[in-house]
């Protein structure tokens, strides 16, 4: 089965073709980050306007590049939420109508399910059940995944997400939006022992997070210190270390509490090198295995949507012609129609 | 000649199938329901006529101006269909579609179409009817502006139509008084039937475009309000700055 995946939930227009026999045939992405950077963040209306200009050209280009003809596509998957509703509606309108005109089924994919399943595009795929740490721009969650569509959120952030904390702190350090990756680069030059940031909510039981205090702590530190490149790097280092250690402590706790032996880390922040190193160490200590998406599939992409869509199409799911986009869509409200796939992926 | 058309730029949602001189339409006043209704409307039109999408000569859509989200649904749906079925697309002004509707109903030949654009402004277009074809033709440009600043039409007996006339009745009357013969406000919205009708003549003139050029015309381009640094929070909470998309 061959599935076209479409992702437009935020500021990336992305498409991919996944083939159940041959794997990922190709993917393309147009990032609007440069356009939004001048406003210090995503402007929803501009995001929607750009998606409607870029999406169909991306699809066309991908079909040409992968030498796929329309008749070879067996289904269309599009992100239907959660995300910016105007942006989502572009992917949903194009995806749903394209599927209809091709006379193939369409399926509405949950963006976060896409993120969580992204490591399954790699050679070494995690089997269910597993613990997922979802660390993205909008979310920081610990999720117990027992099968496709069977997710239970066991830890969540009370305020900012990890990616948001990265981006806001990066902004304080004068880096442009989205500053997460740049902050991580700057942190490499930082001095280990100059500053120590708190590890929020780690000295009490529970799996929830809170990152807004870290951002405030960073703001105060920036204000109190001289503004020179080394200080900025030192602050970046201390901040990153605090986020990473906090995530590591909660993952360790969650693995121990659930008895799960597989950890999946997904979402944009899972691209962070320090996080990957530290989580691997921890998993090894606990005798667990950790799985990551490929670097290009950490942030939003079409491949994860095509893959998640394939699983759901295979299970017989299908959207009616009446389509919708959902700004809110709790992950644990997802229908599970895919029980028989439990071992199949 | 067969054209399938949609119009979702206002609170109304409609689809129409033109086969030579006959047009069939599905129309519903249904705010926020366009995504739900539009493809089923198209499906039922095609089923009734026992035609497939591939049998069409062209697709058409109301390309705005209007509610941003609604206009984009029309554009997105039409791009998907046109790309998938390899059909040309005729974009039609939603203001022109409404002017055409009023002409058909009343026989008026000088029309001023206005949609409420919020933020004290309106979308505006002046149209005259071409006596040969009985089709409206834009005079000047379509604009977004304050009601006090709408372009003054030439002397004549102009007739207003659209939600903008309700929203700014006093200001428009004052500005246009000597040239105005009357207006009809809220109860009329642009419809796919007139989109199809106008598309037919544009198609014959070679004004169709390919799928990826079936793009919205917003008129309003200053849409950046505050820097959206709290986008992540918005995402978590599910509210976005485009809830009221005008
Ligand atoms: N190397 C990195 N280190 C830290 N943060 C990173 C790194 N790379 C990306 N990020 C962060 O990842 C986030 C983007 O991730 P992603 O694209 O998954 O989020 P999103 O799609 O906007 O949010 P969501 O999926 O929750 O709707 C940004 O906050 C970015 O700064
Ligand atoms: Mg994402």
């Amino acid at each position: 089965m061959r599935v076209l995946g479409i992702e437009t939930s935020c500021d990336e227009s992305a498409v991919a073709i996944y083939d159940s026999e041959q794997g990922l045939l190709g993917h393309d992405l147009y990032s609007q980050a440069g356009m939004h950077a001048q406003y210090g963040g995503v402007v929803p209306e501009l995001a929607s306007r750009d998606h409607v200009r870029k999406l169909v050209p991306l699809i066309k280009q991908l079909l040409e590049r992968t030498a796929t003809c329309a008749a070879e596509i067996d289904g269309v998957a599009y992100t239907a939420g959660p995300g910016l509703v105007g942006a989502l509606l572009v992917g949903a309108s194009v995806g749903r109508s394209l599927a209809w005109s091709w006379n193939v089924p369409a399926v509405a994919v949950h963006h976060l399910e896409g993120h969580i399943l992204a490591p399954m595009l790699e050679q070494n795929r995690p089997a269910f059940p597993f613990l997922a740490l979802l660390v993205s721009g909008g979310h920081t969650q610990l999720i117990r995944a027992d099968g496709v569509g069977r997710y239970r959120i066991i830890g969540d952030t009370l305020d900012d997400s990890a990616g948001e904390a990265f981006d806001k702190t990066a902004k304080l350090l004068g880096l442009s939006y989205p500053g997460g990756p740049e902050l991580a680069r700057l942190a490499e030059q930082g001095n280990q022992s100059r500053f120590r940031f708190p590890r929020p909510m780690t000295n009490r039981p529970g799996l929830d997070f809170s990152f807004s205090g870290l951002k405030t702590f960073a703001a105060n530190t920036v204000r109190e210190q001289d503004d020179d490149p080394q200080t900025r790097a030192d602050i970046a280092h201390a901040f990153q270390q605090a986020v990473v250690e906090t995530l590591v402590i909660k993952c360790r706790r969650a693995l121990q509490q659930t008895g799960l032996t597989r950890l999946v880390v997904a979402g944009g922040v899972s691209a962070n090198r320090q996080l990957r190193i530290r989580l691997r160490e921890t998993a090894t200590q606990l005798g667990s295995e950790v799985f990551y998406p490929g670097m290009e599939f950490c942030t939003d992409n079409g491949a994860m949507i095509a893959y998640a869509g394939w699983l759901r199409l295979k299970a017989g799911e299908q959207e009616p012609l009446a389509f919708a986009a959902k700004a809110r869509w709790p992950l644990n409200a997802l229908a599970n129609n895919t029980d028989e796939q439990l071992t199949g992926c | 000649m067969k054209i399938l058309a949609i119009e979702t730029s206002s609170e109304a949602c409609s689809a129409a199938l033109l086969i030579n001189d006959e047009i069939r339409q599905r129309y519903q006043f249904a705010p926020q329901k366009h995504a739900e209704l539009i493809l089923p409307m198209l499906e039922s039109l095609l089923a009734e006529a026992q035609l497939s999408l591939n049998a069409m000569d062209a697709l058409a859509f109301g390309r705005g101006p209007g509610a941003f989200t609604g206009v984009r649904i029309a554009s997105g749906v039409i791009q998907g269909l046109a790309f998938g079925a390899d059909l040309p697309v005729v974009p039609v002004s939603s203001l022109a579609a409404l002017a055409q509707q009023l002409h058909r109903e009343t026989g008026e030949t000088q029309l001023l179409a206005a949609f409420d654009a919020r933020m004290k402004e309106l979308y505006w277009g002046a149209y005259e009817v071409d006596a040969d074809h009985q089709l409206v033709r834009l005079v000047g440009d379509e604009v977004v502006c304050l009601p006090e600043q709408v372009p003054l039409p030439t002397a004549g007996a102009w007739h207003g139509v659209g939600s903008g006339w309700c929203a700014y009745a006093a200001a428009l009357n004052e500005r246009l008084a000597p040239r105005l013969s009357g207006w009809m406000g809220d109860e009329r919205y642009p419809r796919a039937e007139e989109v199809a009708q106008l598309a037919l003549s544009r198609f014959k003139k070679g004004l169709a475009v390919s799928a990826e050029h079936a793009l919205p015309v917003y008129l309003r381009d200053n849409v950046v309000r505050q820097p959206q640094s709290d986008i992540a929070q918005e995402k978590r909470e599910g509210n976005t700055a485009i809830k009221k998309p005008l």
Side-chain angles (χ1 to χ4, degrees):
Chain A
M1 192 193 276
R2 204 171 270 195
V3 179
L4 171 69
I6 296 174
E7 157 62 38
T8 62
S9 71
C10 190
D11 60 347
E12 258 107 24
S13 313
V15 296
I17 301 171
Y18 181 81
D19 183 290
S20 54
E21 309 304 316
Q22 301 168 49
L24 188 65
L25 297 188
H27 69 105
D28 271 319
L29 181 144
Y30 174 82
S31 174
Q32 310 173 350
M35 172 182 77
H36 296 294
Q38 59 183 307
Y39 306 109
V42 177
V43 182
E45 177 57 23
L46 292 184
S48 306
R49 289 186 177 199
D50 219 27
H51 286 306
V52 86
R53 282 191 295 261
K54 297 290 165 30
L55 185 54
V56 166
L58 272 177
I59 295 171
K60 191 172 171 184
Q61 171 188 312
L62 179 65
L63 290 172
E64 280 164 14
R65 195 163 52 72
T66 58
T68 308
C69 67
E72 293 173 297
I73 302 282
D74 303 301
V76 178
Y78 55 85
T79 306
L84 302 172
V85 75
L88 289 163
L89 270 172
V90 175
S93 349
V94 171
R96 189 64 197 88
S97 62
L98 185 55
W100 186 48
S101 72
W102 280 344
N103 214 356
V104 298
V107 67
V109 172
H110 192 292
H111 181 75
L112 303 182
E113 177 170 63
H115 274 305
I116 294 171
L117 300 182
M120 294 190 177
L121 290 161
E122 302 303 300
Q123 285 287 314
N124 182 21
R125 302 171 174 200
F128 291 110
F130 57 73
L131 175 71
L133 171 67
L134 174 66
V135 270
S136 60
H139 294 82
T140 303
Q141 292 179 333
L142 280 161
I143 296 151
R144 190 194 159 97
D146 284 300
V148 177
R150 297 172 58 194
Y151 311 114
R152 220 172 71 220
I153 296 165
I154 58 173
D156 207 341
T157 182
L158 306 180
D159 40 59
D160 291 357
S161 71
E164 194 178 355
F166 263 96
D167 293 341
K168 287 178 174 172
T169 303
K171 201 170 179 178
L172 290 170
L173 294 170
L175 306 172
S176 65
Y177 172 87
E182 270 190 76
L183 188 151
R185 262 193 302 280
L186 184 61
E188 307 264 325
Q189 265 93 62
N191 183 329
Q192 277 276 13
S193 47
R194 173 125 173 246
F195 301 110
R196 191 178 189 286
F197 278 44
R199 274 68 169 146
M201 297 186 68
T202 51
N203 52 13
R204 56 176 126 148
L207 299 173
D208 287 337
F209 305 91
S210 164
F211 289 111
S212 70
L214 265 186
K215 172 198 64 193
T216 312
F217 196 91
N220 291 338
T221 313
V222 168
R223 192 165 346 100
E224 287 156 14
Q225 302 295 323
D226 292 342
D227 183 23
D228 59 84
Q230 188 56 49
T231 301
R232 279 201 294 272
D234 295 344
I235 293 173
H237 185 96
F239 168 81
Q240 173 175 268
Q241 197 172 40
V243 175
V244 166
E245 284 314 310
T246 304
L247 293 172
V248 167
I249 290 166
K250 297 288 164 129
C251 282
R252 174 192 293 272
R253 204 177 275 175
L255 284 170
Q256 286 170 334
Q257 275 180 25
T258 57
L260 293 169
T261 55
R262 284 174 292 270
L263 172 64
V264 160
V265 191
V269 184
S270 71
N272 186 275
R273 214 172 72 88
Q274 281 307 315
L275 181 66
R276 288 192 172 212
I277 293 171
R278 291 287 295 116
L279 281 176
R280 200 171 293 282
E281 284 169 16
T282 307
T284 308
Q285 284 167 18
L286 293 174
S288 301
E289 203 180 348
V290 54
F291 300 84
Y292 296 103
M295 279 301 199
E296 57 198 330
F297 304 132
C298 291
T299 45
D300 293 351
N301 62 88
M304 67 187 196
I305 304 305
Y307 181 81
W310 166 65
L311 284 178
R312 293 193 163 266
L313 284 166
K314 188 165 69 143
E317 252 178 66
Q318 194 168 324
E319 280 296 293
L321 280 178
F323 60 90
K326 298 173 236 189
R328 292 167 193 255
W329 189 5
L331 189 59
N332 41 13
L334 268 188
N336 162 43
N337 303 321
T338 48
D339 258 332
E340 68 279 14
Q341 306 308 332
L342 264 177
T343 48
C345 46
Chain B
M1 185 68 65
K2 302 184 191 69
I3 294 177
L4 199 55
I6 63 175
E7 166 53 64
T8 61
S9 71
S10 71
E11 288 92 331
C13 177
S14 58
L17 173 57
L18 174 150
I19 305 174
N20 302 322
D21 327 317
E22 196 197 337
I23 305 182
R24 291 184 186 197
Q25 184 179 238
R26 302 284 183 272
Y27 178 94
Q28 200 172 325
F29 178 82
Q32 316 275 325
K33 284 221 159 72
H34 305 96
E36 205 175 297
L37 295 173
I38 194 65
L39 288 175
M41 281 179 169
L42 290 176
E43 185 188 44
S44 91
L45 283 167
L46 288 176
E48 190 178 88
Q50 296 187 303
L51 287 171
S52 75
L53 185 62
N54 294 301
M56 297 300 110
D57 295 293
L59 302 175
F61 74 113
R63 50 69 165 162
F68 296 162
T69 300
V71 174
R72 262 193 303 272
I73 288 173
S75 165
V77 163
I78 286 298
Q79 286 191 49
L81 297 180
F83 180 68
D86 199 13
L87 289 170
V89 181
V90 188
V92 171
S93 160
S94 301
L95 285 166
L98 186 60
Q100 183 68 33
Q101 182 186 334
L102 195 74
H103 164 67
R104 181 202 290 224
E105 284 176 19
T106 64
E108 296 287 342
T109 55
Q110 294 185 303
L111 305 134
L112 299 170
F115 301 153
D116 182 1
R118 312 267 166 90
M119 301 165 75
K120 301 201 171 80
E121 292 185 321
L122 39 69
Y123 299 121
W124 180 263
Y127 300 87
E128 278 177 337
V129 174
D130 179 340
D132 288 347
H133 306 94
Q134 295 300 309
L135 295 177
V136 296
R137 183 169 39 78
L138 179 67
V139 183
D141 293 318
E142 293 178 346
V143 292
V144 57
C145 64
L146 297 169
E148 296 78 15
Q149 291 170 355
V150 296
L152 285 176
T154 52
W158 294 82
H159 212 87
V161 63
S163 60
W165 285 90
C166 290
Y168 308 108
L172 289 175
N173 275 294
E174 187 174 329
R175 177 148 175 88
L176 299 160
R179 302 175 166 92
L180 199 62
S181 70
W183 56 270
M184 294 183 161
D186 234 5
E187 56 296 341
R188 279 173 190 76
Y189 301 93
R191 306 187 309 182
E193 180 166 348
E194 285 80 22
V195 170
Q197 199 187 349
L198 291 167
L200 176 63
S201 89
R202 295 179 68 81
F203 182 64
K204 287 180 182 161
K205 286 183 193 151
L207 294 173
V209 299
S210 61
E212 65 265 42
H213 295 112
L215 293 170
V217 170
Y218 303 102
L219 292 187
R220 174 176 286 153
D221 290 318
N222 57 332
V223 292
V224 178
R225 289 159 224 175
Q226 292 296 305
Q228 304 288 310
S229 55
D230 272 341
I231 196 81
Q233 187 186 336
E234 282 189 6
K235 280 175 146 187
R236 272 199 315 275
E237 295 176 356
N239 2 341
T240 73
I242 42 177
K243 262 192 180 155
K244 273 282 170 214
L246 260 166

